[in-house]
Coordinates of all heavy atoms in Angstrom, one line a residue:
L324 N -23.5 -2.6 11.7 CA -22.5 -3.3 12.4 C -23.1 -4.4 13.4 O -22.4 -5.4 13.7 CB -21.7 -2.3 13.3 CG -20.5 -1.6 12.6 CD1 -19.9 -0.6 13.6 CD2 -19.5 -2.6 12.2
I325 N -24.3 -4.1 13.9 CA -24.8 -4.9 15.0 C -24.9 -6.4 14.6 O -24.7 -7.3 15.5 CB -26.1 -4.4 15.5 CG1 -26.4 -4.9 16.9 CG2 -27.3 -4.7 14.5 CD1 -27.6 -4.1 17.5
Q326 N -25.1 -6.7 13.4 CA -25.2 -8.1 13.0 C -23.9 -8.8 13.1 O -23.8 -10.0 13.1 CB -25.8 -8.2 11.6 CG -25.0 -7.5 10.5 CD -25.7 -7.6 9.2 OE1 -26.2 -8.7 8.8 NE2 -25.6 -6.6 8.4
Y327 N -22.8 -8.0 13.0 CA -21.4 -8.6 13.1 C -20.9 -8.6 14.6 O -19.9 -9.3 14.9 CB -20.5 -7.9 12.2 CG -20.9 -7.9 10.8 CD1 -21.5 -6.8 10.2 CD2 -20.7 -9.0 10.0 CE1 -21.9 -6.8 8.9 CE2 -21.1 -9.0 8.7 CZ -21.7 -7.9 8.1 OH -22.1 -7.9 6.8
T328 N -21.4 -7.8 15.4 CA -20.9 -7.6 16.8 C -21.8 -8.1 17.9 O -21.3 -8.3 19.0 CB -20.5 -6.1 17.0 OG1 -21.7 -5.3 16.9 CG2 -19.5 -5.6 16.1
R329 N -23.1 -8.3 17.6 CA -24.0 -8.8 18.6 C -23.9 -10.3 18.7 O -24.0 -11.0 17.7 CB -25.4 -8.3 18.3 CG -25.6 -6.8 18.5 CD -25.7 -6.4 20.0 NE -26.9 -7.1 20.6 CZ -28.1 -6.5 20.6 NH1 -28.3 -5.4 19.9 NH2 -29.1 -7.2 21.2
S330 N -23.8 -10.8 19.9 CA -23.7 -12.2 20.1 C -25.1 -12.9 19.8 O -25.2 -14.0 19.5 CB -23.3 -12.6 21.5 OG -24.1 -12.0 22.4
E331 N -26.2 -12.1 19.9 CA -27.5 -12.6 19.6 C -27.7 -12.7 18.1 O -28.7 -13.3 17.7 CB -28.6 -11.7 20.2 CG -28.5 -11.4 21.6 CD -27.6 -10.2 21.9 OE1 -28.1 -9.1 21.7 OE2 -26.5 -10.4 22.3
S332 N -26.8 -12.1 17.3 CA -27.1 -12.1 15.9 C -27.1 -13.5 15.3 O -26.4 -14.4 15.7 CB -26.0 -11.3 15.2 OG -26.0 -11.4 13.8
S333 N -27.9 -13.7 14.3 CA -27.9 -15.0 13.6 C -26.9 -15.1 12.5 O -26.8 -16.1 11.8 CB -29.3 -15.2 13.0 OG -29.6 -14.2 12.0
E334 N -26.2 -14.0 12.3 CA -25.1 -14.0 11.2 C -24.0 -15.0 11.6 O -23.6 -15.0 12.7 CB -24.5 -12.6 11.1 CG -25.5 -11.6 10.5 CD -25.7 -11.8 9.0 OE1 -24.9 -12.5 8.4 OE2 -26.6 -11.2 8.5
H335 N -23.6 -15.7 10.6 CA -22.5 -16.7 10.8 C -21.2 -16.1 10.5 O -20.8 -16.2 9.3 CB -22.8 -18.0 10.0 CG -24.1 -18.6 10.3 ND1 -24.7 -19.6 9.6 CD2 -25.0 -18.4 11.4 CE1 -25.8 -20.0 10.1 NE2 -26.0 -19.3 11.2
V336 N -20.6 -15.5 11.4 CA -19.3 -14.8 11.1 C -18.4 -14.8 12.3 O -18.8 -14.8 13.4 CB -19.6 -13.3 10.8 CG1 -20.3 -12.6 11.9 CG2 -18.4 -12.5 10.4
T337 N -17.1 -15.0 12.0 CA -16.1 -14.9 12.9 C -15.0 -13.9 12.4 O -14.6 -14.1 11.3 CB -15.4 -16.3 13.1 OG1 -16.3 -17.3 13.5 CG2 -14.3 -16.2 14.2
L338 N -14.7 -12.9 13.2 CA -13.8 -11.9 12.8 C -12.5 -12.1 13.5 O -12.3 -13.0 14.3 CB -14.4 -10.5 13.1 CG -15.7 -10.3 12.4 CD1 -16.2 -8.8 12.6 CD2 -15.6 -10.5 10.9
V339 N -11.5 -11.2 13.3 CA -10.2 -11.3 13.7 C -10.0 -11.1 15.2 O -10.5 -10.1 15.8 CB -9.3 -10.3 13.0 CG1 -7.8 -10.5 13.4 CG2 -9.4 -10.4 11.5
D340 N -9.4 -12.0 15.9 CA -9.1 -11.9 17.3 C -7.7 -11.2 17.5 O -6.8 -11.4 16.6 CB -9.0 -13.2 18.1 CG -10.4 -13.8 18.4 OD1 -11.4 -13.0 18.3 OD2 -10.5 -14.9 18.6
L341 N -7.5 -10.5 18.6 CA -6.1 -10.0 18.9 C -5.6 -10.9 20.1 O -6.4 -11.6 20.7 CB -6.2 -8.6 19.3 CG -6.3 -7.6 18.1 CD1 -6.4 -6.2 18.6 CD2 -5.0 -7.7 17.3
P342 N -4.4 -10.8 20.4 CA -3.8 -11.5 21.5 C -4.6 -11.2 22.8 O -5.0 -10.1 23.1 CB -2.4 -11.0 21.7 CG -2.1 -10.4 20.3 CD -3.3 -10.0 19.8
G343 N -4.9 -12.3 23.5 CA -5.6 -12.2 24.8 C -7.1 -12.5 24.6 O -7.8 -12.6 25.5
N344 N -7.5 -12.8 23.3 CA -8.8 -13.2 23.1 C -8.9 -14.4 22.2 O -9.5 -14.5 21.1 CB -9.6 -12.1 22.4 CG -9.9 -10.9 23.4 OD1 -10.8 -11.0 24.2 ND2 -9.1 -9.9 23.4
G345 N -8.3 -15.5 22.7 CA -8.3 -16.8 22.0 C -7.1 -17.0 21.1 O -6.2 -16.2 21.0
D346 N -7.2 -18.1 20.5 CA -6.1 -18.6 19.6 C -5.8 -17.7 18.4 O -6.8 -17.2 17.9 CB -6.4 -20.0 19.2 CG -5.3 -20.6 18.3 OD1 -4.2 -20.2 18.4 OD2 -5.6 -21.5 17.6
R347 N -4.6 -17.5 18.1 CA -4.2 -16.8 16.9 C -3.4 -17.6 16.0 O -2.2 -17.8 16.3 CB -3.5 -15.5 17.3 CG -3.3 -14.5 16.1 CD -2.7 -13.2 16.5 NE -1.3 -13.3 16.5 CZ -0.5 -13.0 17.6 NH1 -1.1 -12.7 18.7 NH2 0.8 -13.1 17.5
N348 N -4.0 -18.3 15.0 CA -3.2 -19.2 14.2 C -2.5 -18.5 13.1 O -2.5 -17.3 13.0 CB -4.1 -20.3 13.7 CG -5.3 -19.8 13.0 OD1 -5.2 -18.8 12.3 ND2 -6.5 -20.4 13.3
K349 N -2.0 -19.3 12.1 CA -1.0 -18.7 11.2 C -1.7 -17.7 10.3 O -1.1 -16.7 9.9 CB -0.4 -19.8 10.3 CG -1.4 -20.7 9.5 CD -0.6 -21.8 8.8 CE -1.6 -22.6 8.0 NZ -0.9 -23.7 7.3
S350 N -2.9 -17.9 9.8 CA -3.6 -17.0 8.9 C -4.0 -15.7 9.7 O -3.8 -14.6 9.3 CB -4.9 -17.6 8.3 OG -5.5 -16.7 7.5
R351 N -4.5 -15.9 10.9 CA -4.9 -14.8 11.7 C -3.7 -14.0 12.2 O -3.7 -12.8 12.2 CB -5.7 -15.3 12.9 CG -6.3 -14.2 13.8 CD -7.2 -14.7 14.8 NE -8.3 -15.4 14.2 CZ -9.3 -15.8 14.9 NH1 -9.4 -15.7 16.2 NH2 -10.3 -16.5 14.3
N352 N -2.6 -14.7 12.5 CA -1.4 -14.1 12.9 C -0.9 -13.2 11.8 O -0.4 -12.1 12.1 CB -0.3 -15.1 13.2 CG 0.9 -14.6 13.7 OD1 1.0 -13.9 14.8 ND2 2.0 -14.7 13.0
K353 N -1.0 -13.6 10.5 CA -0.5 -12.7 9.4 C -1.3 -11.4 9.4 O -0.8 -10.3 9.2 CB -0.7 -13.5 8.1 CG -0.1 -12.8 6.9 CD -0.2 -13.7 5.7 CE 0.3 -12.9 4.5 NZ 0.2 -13.8 3.2

Side-chain angles (χ1 to χ4, degrees):
L324 273 177
I325 199 167
Q326 59 183 321
Y327 301 100
T328 58
R329 289 283 298 273
S330 58
E331 305 90 75
S332 170
S333 61
E334 292 286 346
H335 299 169
V336 58
T337 302
L338 302 183
V339 185
D340 283 343
L341 280 178
N344 288 278
D346 182 21
R347 191 175 83 237
N348 52 41
K349 61 183 179 182
S350 177
R351 184 171 301 184
N352 183 64
K353 184 177 180 180

